[in-house]
Amino acid sequence: MEERTFFYLTEMEVTMQVNGIDAGKDHPEAVRIHDREASCRVRDILSRIGDKWSLTVIHELGSGPRRFTELRQAIPAISQRMLTVTVRGLERDGLLTRTVHATVPPRVDYALTPLGHTLLDKVWALFTWAAGHVDEITTAQHAYDTRT
């Protein structure tokens, strides 16, 4: 028997005895991160892309570059400040580019980077899943909220 230690996306550290069987075989979707620092970095990335607005911005940029005002109009519930914070964070993470055109008034375009495009399929899958299950989730929420 061999002993292996895995760090998961939580603070939990798990030591398992492995009997020559690859635990990933039974659960290939399981994420195993062997390094606590890498686990923290992955959690930080998931926090960034899983925040309230990032997925929506990535989804909107999936159809091509957009001006700031176009993004703002496409996402009416977001404030100007929150959109600014969101696009800056996504730019810092290398998921989108910001291009300032020397015009009066200045024109700023945002576009997904090649890295951002690799995330787009996953974002689209999440949006499709949510749209397909919104009624079921609403029903479940209502049932939960009315329980006595």
Side-chain angles (χ1 to χ4, degrees), residues 60-128:
E60 286 297 327
L61 291 174
S63 59
R66 305 282 284 277
R67 296 178 68 175
F68 184 89
T69 54
E70 292 172 326
L71 278 175
R72 180 89 196 282
Q73 290 168 356
I75 312 168
I78 195 169
S79 69
Q80 182 168 336
R81 182 188 180 290
M82 197 65 234
L83 181 56
T84 299
V85 168
T86 301
V87 294
R88 282 183 185 164
L90 292 171
E91 180 183 15
R92 181 176 182 260
D93 292 341
L95 298 173
L96 61 81
T97 59
R98 177 179 185 266
T99 304
V100 179
H101 300 278
T103 60
V104 178
R107 184 177 128 205
V108 179
D109 291 325
Y110 294 91
L112 290 178
T113 63
L115 179 62
H117 277 284
T118 65
L119 183 57
L120 187 58
D121 288 341
K122 281 67 173 167
V123 170
W124 182 250
L126 283 171
F127 272 77
T128 302

Side-chain angles (χ1 to χ4, degrees), residues 42-56:
V42 168
R43 217 174 28 255
D44 289 345
I45 292 167
L46 291 176
S47 292
R48 153 66 60 217
I49 62 172
D51 71 11
K52 185 173 182 177
W53 298 111
S54 292
L55 292 179
T56 304

Side-chain angles (χ1 to χ4, degrees), residues 7-12 31-33 38-44 46:
F7 296 99
Y8 292 87
L9 294 179
T10 64
E11 292 298 321
M12 178 174 60
V31 175
R32 289 174 179 78
I33 301 171
S39 176
C40 290
R41 290 193 325 262
V42 168
R43 217 174 28 255
D44 289 345
L46 291 176

